[in-house]
Amino acid sequence: MKIGVIGSMQHTEKMLEARNALIEHGHDAFVVSIFTETFLGKNDIEKEELKIHQKNNLDAMRQDCERLKDVDAVLAMNIEKNGEKNYIGGNTFLEIGYAHILDKKLYLYNPIPENPYYKTEIVAMKPVVINGDYSLIK
């Protein structure tokens, strides 16, 4: 299965680990952002500045969504960020929603976050929560 890995670019290294694990499980996997390599070795402040630049000047959000058209499934790496458990930020939420509209399979690395602003929508998209177990992606 062709799987696009998405999530906060603060977790670039974890997304690359997930990609590698998916490949080991026989999938064709990649991190959706075309800018992934530019985040490696950067601290959180540098990553945040880079994200803003790429979104505002390089049309990163549209480019990432274009890449979702060719996947069978999406794995959202919803990892804790800034003390928020199972974090899904705005951009990742948009990508999950777009993948849902495209009728792609949806997987979450961790459970759905207890976020009152969008929990209902994520539940309605019926993602499979893998709790870190890549063998559940089928």
Side-chain angles (χ1 to χ4, degrees):
M1 181 176 352
K2 188 171 185 178
I3 303 171
V5 179
I6 61 175
S8 171
M9 295 311 291
Q10 302 300 111
H11 299 302
T12 299
E13 291 79 8
K14 293 282 188 190
M15 289 192 291
L16 289 169
E17 288 174 18
R19 176 205 62 194
N20 294 342
L22 289 166
I23 291 169
E24 288 175 13
H25 280 82
H27 298 288
D28 176 11
F30 64 98
V31 176
V32 170
S33 174
I34 65 168
F35 301 108
T36 301
E37 300 297 322
T38 64
F39 287 88
L40 296 176
K42 304 258 188 312
N43 65 39
D44 285 349
I45 293 169
E46 292 169 327
K47 287 179 180 179
E48 192 63 32
E49 290 170 355
L50 193 53
K51 284 190 314 189
I52 292 167
H53 169 74
Q54 291 168 349
K55 288 176 185 179
N56 290 332
N57 301 303
L58 303 175
D59 206 14
M61 293 182 349
R62 185 171 282 116
Q63 290 189 54
D64 292 351
C65 283
E66 276 298 313
R67 290 171 51 107
L68 292 176
K69 291 179 179 178
D70 295 325
V71 302
D72 301 307
V74 169
L75 171 61
M77 297 298 292
N78 58 326
I79 301 168
E80 181 177 330
K81 180 179 172 186
N82 298 330
E84 186 175 333
K85 190 175 178 182
N86 306 331
Y87 176 80
I88 293 176
N91 197 74
T92 301
F93 180 70
L94 287 169
E95 291 172 344
I96 292 169
Y98 188 63
H100 173 72
I101 289 166
L102 294 174
D103 203 27
K104 307 300 181 178
K105 292 180 183 179
L106 303 173
Y107 295 93
L108 296 180
Y109 187 78
N110 286 313
I112 297 170
E114 293 296 326
N115 184 312
Y117 304 110
Y118 57 68
K119 181 179 179 181
T120 303
E121 287 75 16
I122 293 176
V123 169
M125 291 185 263
K126 298 177 177 64
V128 173
V129 176
I130 67 165
N131 290 310
D133 182 355
Y134 297 104
S135 70
L136 296 176
I137 297 178
K138 301 174 184 194

